[in-house]
């Protein structure tokens, strides 16, 4: 596993820029209330619209049905295909993932604040001989890899946990696939001996119109 030491990496541009104005690489203590975004719960998305208000013509997302729960199979992440968007602290963030081709998904993320791109990153999820890795290349930094360690059910959702214990922060990235097109991206681990955690809610959206898509 590739490891980067001696610096703090926030592997998602949405996480990096939601923390703008906080000195260094500080995040919210895991046991406290997040100053970045309200923690997502398993049962209640923070801004989810009532099911009855969904347009009757809402399209169904690509990869809506799970195809694999094998941590060594990149197809287990095929459901990420498409676009995801959210807002935290007046910052609009977005991820766009291509379909699985061969043994890889490619993605790109960006964060916009007051009409300007504040940060961006290149992402990929790839199958290697020893497992599946989430690889993040934030703007101006080198890549860091996080290995897919577990795929676990969580009520009506599924957790995809990637780990890199050698990284300064975070040591874990968790994608929580929830019903109705919700995705919760979490970065967590220890920073200077303290547990830290930040959760960022996203909705699946149409890549061209930005309209919500039912999962």
């Amino acid at each position: 596993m590739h490891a980067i030491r001696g610096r703090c990496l926030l592997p998602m541009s949405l996480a990096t820029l939601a923390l703008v104005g906080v000195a260094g690489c500080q995040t919210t203590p895991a046991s406290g209330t997040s100053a970045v975004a309200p923690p997502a719960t398993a049962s209640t998305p923070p801004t989810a619209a009532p099911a009855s208000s969904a347009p009757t013509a809402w399209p169904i997302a690509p990869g809506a049905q799970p195809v694999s729960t094998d941590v060594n199979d990149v197809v287990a992440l095929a459901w990420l295909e498409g676009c995801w968007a959210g807002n935290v602290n007046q910052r609009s963030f977005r991820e766009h993932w291509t379909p699985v081709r061969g043994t890889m998904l490619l993605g790109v993320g960006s964060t916009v604040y007051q009409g300007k791109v504040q940060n961006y990153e290149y992402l990929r999820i790839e199958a290697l001989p020893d497992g599946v890795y989430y690889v993040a290349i934030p703007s101006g930094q080198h890549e860091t890899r996080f290995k897919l360690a577990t795929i676990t059910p969580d009520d009506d959702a599924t957790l995809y946990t990637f780990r890199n214990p050698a990284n300064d922060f975070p040591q874990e990235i968790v994608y929580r696939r929830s019903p109705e097109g919700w995705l919760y991206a979490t970065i967590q681990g220890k920073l200077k001996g303290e547990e830290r955690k930040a959760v960022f809610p996203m909705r699946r959206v149409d890549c061209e119109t930005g309209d919500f898509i039912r999962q």
Side-chain angles (χ1 to χ4, degrees):
M1 177 184 297
H2 178 75
I4 295 180
R5 297 177 182 272
R7 65 182 177 84
C8 177
L9 174 70
L10 297 184
M12 295 178 290
S13 59
L14 60 95
T16 303
L17 292 171
L19 297 174
V20 167
V22 180
C25 206
Q26 182 178 353
T27 59
T28 305
S31 59
T33 301
S34 173
V36 179
T41 63
S43 58
T44 307
T47 57
S52 60
S53 66
T56 56
W58 238 353
I60 302 299
Q65 299 300 320
V67 289
S68 174
T69 56
D70 182 357
V71 295
N72 295 307
D73 185 2
V74 72
V75 177
L77 280 301
W79 58 273
L80 275 172
E81 176 189 344
C83 293
W84 304 83
N87 292 278
V88 170
N89 288 355
Q90 301 180 14
R91 288 168 173 81
S92 173
F93 46 84
R94 184 162 172 161
E95 289 186 4
H96 185 176
W97 290 91
T98 63
V100 175
R101 297 198 66 191
T103 58
M104 187 180 297
L105 291 87
L106 296 176
V108 61
S110 62
T111 300
V112 172
Y113 178 63
Q114 295 184 345
K116 296 182 179 180
V117 174
Q118 279 200 322
N119 206 351
Y120 63 88
E121 63 182 343
Y122 300 106
L123 304 166
R124 70 180 185 270
I125 297 175
E126 62 179 336
L128 297 175
D130 62 334
V132 172
Y133 287 84
Y134 180 106
V135 185
I137 312 174
S139 49
Q141 299 186 41
H142 298 291
E143 71 176 36
T144 300
R145 297 180 180 181
F146 297 78
K147 186 175 184 179
L148 179 59
T150 61
I151 301 175
T152 55
D154 181 29
D155 294 332
D156 54 357
T158 305
L159 300 178
Y160 298 78
T161 302
F162 302 85
R163 295 188 179 123
N164 181 345
N167 194 50
D168 288 347
F169 183 85
Q171 291 86 48
E172 286 191 350
I173 299 172
V174 181
Y175 273 23
R176 183 178 186 275
R177 182 189 183 189
S178 298
E180 300 298 327
W182 280 95
L183 167 63
Y184 295 93
T186 300
I187 58 172
Q188 59 191 24
K190 286 188 176 182
L191 180 63
K192 297 181 179 179
E194 294 186 12
E195 292 290 341
R196 303 280 177 167
K197 179 178 182 179
V199 183
F200 301 88
M202 291 184 278
R203 291 292 302 270
R204 182 184 287 279
V205 298
D206 182 279
C207 292
E208 294 185 4
T209 67
D211 294 337
F212 294 145
I213 298 178
R214 184 184 297 278
Q215 184 76 11

